[in-house]
Amino acid sequence: MSEGVLLDWLLDSDPSLRWQVERDLAGAPPQVWQATRARVATEGDGARLLALQDADGQWAGGAFFPAGFDVTDPTGDEPAGQPWTATTWTLNTLREWGTDAAALGDTAGRLAVNSRWEYDDLPYWGGEVDCCINAWTLATGAWLGVDVAPLARWFAEHQLADGGWNCEWVEGSTRSSFHSTLNSLKGLLWYEELTGDDSLRAVRHTGEEYLLRRRLLHRLSTGEPVAPWVSQFGYPFRAAYSALNATDYFRRAALHDDRAPDLRLADAVEVVLGRQRPDGTWLQEHPQRGAVWFAEDVPAGQPSRWLTLHGLRVLRWWDGAGTAS
């Protein structure tokens, strides 16, 4: 499809996606995309998620898993996968969709009183031992105005010697994980963007180096691709690493830090470009299994507006900086 038709297709979407298309692809003035963003809390998918909140501030009665879920077998029946309806996942979605924190009212306070982690019954805003969970809690706490500075420092204290993070550190792992490192970096960047506290910027940059040394795709030891999942794109990203998820993080971090794109991203950008279809879209390839409140994107095999937004803005940023080969 032509560029104009592609843009119209992207704009014909829920406010949670449309405002980002207006800002990042259509060049709309701030008053336009900000007005669209304000609609996320009052109509469409964002309003639907807000309406599903429990009286105690949670969603589905639990912090990371729904109430009553067997946390000793988190994948449950393999075809079903992990449920994505509990508090942390829903708040992640609302934050990433650009929901105004004011629309959450006293959610932060209610969670402080009522929500405990399934791990050791720890209080919600203190986090627990999992890097990814703590990263999402850090980002969401900063968004909702909670003092999560101690949790931010946790990432400096638990950064591994190779520069990244691994959620299995508590089991003795000393080698970082692509997934855990990317999610930790995203949490630290959200925290810095929302609070203005840049005291952990060097920690974040060290974590970025872990991925950049591997060109976002490869094992450092052999140079071989780390795994097939680097080129399998699905939305929502949730905890999953992919070249698209990672390059969009580095786009955002570079813009925040006012830095040029690192040339070591080139291979990963090529993977993103290689998944683009002739009509300019990206297909939903690898959606994660598990119970959801409602479908946030199209089924596998269909063109995804969300993935197309992410793909196009990565390529425009990369090309706009004059880094395209």
Side-chain angles (χ1 to χ4, degrees):
M1 62 183 80
S2 69
E3 183 174 344
V5 172
L6 180 62
L7 188 59
D8 287 343
W9 176 71
L10 288 168
L11 289 168
D12 182 21
S13 56
D14 187 81
S16 58
L17 191 154
R18 182 183 174 107
W19 75 265
Q20 298 183 67
V21 176
E22 291 173 339
R23 183 192 66 180
D24 298 334
L25 300 178
Q31 61 268 27
V32 171
W33 63 260
Q34 287 170 0
T36 304
R37 183 174 182 173
R39 293 164 46 202
V40 174
T42 59
E43 61 183 86
D45 290 346
R48 291 175 70 185
L49 281 182
L50 287 170
L52 292 163
Q53 188 176 23
D54 302 332
D56 66 1
Q58 300 189 106
W59 277 261
F64 194 74
F65 298 107
F69 185 77
D70 182 3
V71 298
T72 65
D73 183 20
T75 58
D77 179 34
E78 181 59 27
Q82 176 182 328
W84 309 107
T85 52
T87 302
T88 295
W89 300 110
T90 304
L91 286 173
N92 282 352
T93 300
L94 288 167
R95 170 174 44 79
E96 291 171 354
W97 283 353
T99 311
D100 187 343
L104 279 292
D106 64 346
T107 292
R110 284 184 284 164
L111 293 180
V113 172
N114 300 312
S115 192
R116 314 286 294 191
W117 292 109
E118 292 82 2
Y119 181 90
D120 279 0
D121 199 39
L122 294 169
Y124 192 83
W125 293 119
E128 43 123 296
V129 298
D130 186 286
C131 303
C132 297
I133 289 175
N134 286 353
W136 298 318
T137 307
L138 177 68
T140 298
W143 170 51
L144 296 182
V146 179
D147 179 8
V148 285
L151 190 54
R153 293 191 293 271
W154 183 95
F155 286 90
E157 297 162 359
H158 292 81
Q159 193 167 31
L160 297 177
D162 59 11
W165 291 267
N166 192 326
C167 293
E168 299 299 321
W169 73 270
V170 73
E171 304 296 334
S173 178
T174 59
R175 295 199 306 176
S176 295
S177 151
F178 276 60
H179 302 276
S180 299
T181 298
L182 178 60
N183 289 320
S184 297
L185 289 171
K186 290 171 76 171
L188 287 167
L189 181 59
W190 273 100
Y191 174 76
E192 188 173 328
E193 289 175 331
L194 290 165
T195 67
D197 179 2
D198 63 359
S199 62
L200 293 170
R201 183 171 292 186
V203 171
R204 176 167 60 83
H205 287 173
T206 299
E208 291 172 358
E209 276 296 312
Y210 171 82
L211 294 176
L212 288 167
R213 287 197 302 273
R214 292 156 177 82
R215 292 175 287 159
L216 277 62
L217 305 172
H218 305 290
R219 297 183 185 277
L220 191 61
S221 56
T222 65
E224 295 296 315
V226 64
W229 37 254
V230 296
S231 59
Q232 295 173 345
F233 300 167
Y235 184 86
F237 294 131
R238 297 195 174 98
Y241 186 97
S242 70
L244 180 57
N245 192 3
T247 52
D248 194 59
Y249 162 80
F250 278 94
R251 175 196 66 85
R252 185 169 178 171
L255 293 173
H256 177 74
D257 294 341
D258 194 21
R259 290 183 292 165
D262 192 298
L263 296 180
R264 289 172 290 179
L265 299 171
D267 289 358
V269 173
E270 283 298 315
V271 170
V272 173
L273 178 61
R275 306 308 293 175
Q276 188 180 25
R277 301 170 72 225
D279 65 0
T281 66
W282 278 258
L283 289 181
Q284 176 79 282
E285 296 178 314
H286 196 63
Q288 297 173 57
R289 293 185 296 268
V292 294
W293 290 114
F294 51 82
E296 298 170 21
D297 199 12
V298 295
Q302 294 187 19
S304 163
R305 286 179 173 85
W306 279 105
L307 293 175
T308 301
L309 162 68
H310 284 85
L312 286 177
R313 69 184 178 188
V314 164
L315 296 183
R316 287 195 179 189
W317 164 70
W318 183 256
D319 293 348
T323 50
S325 57

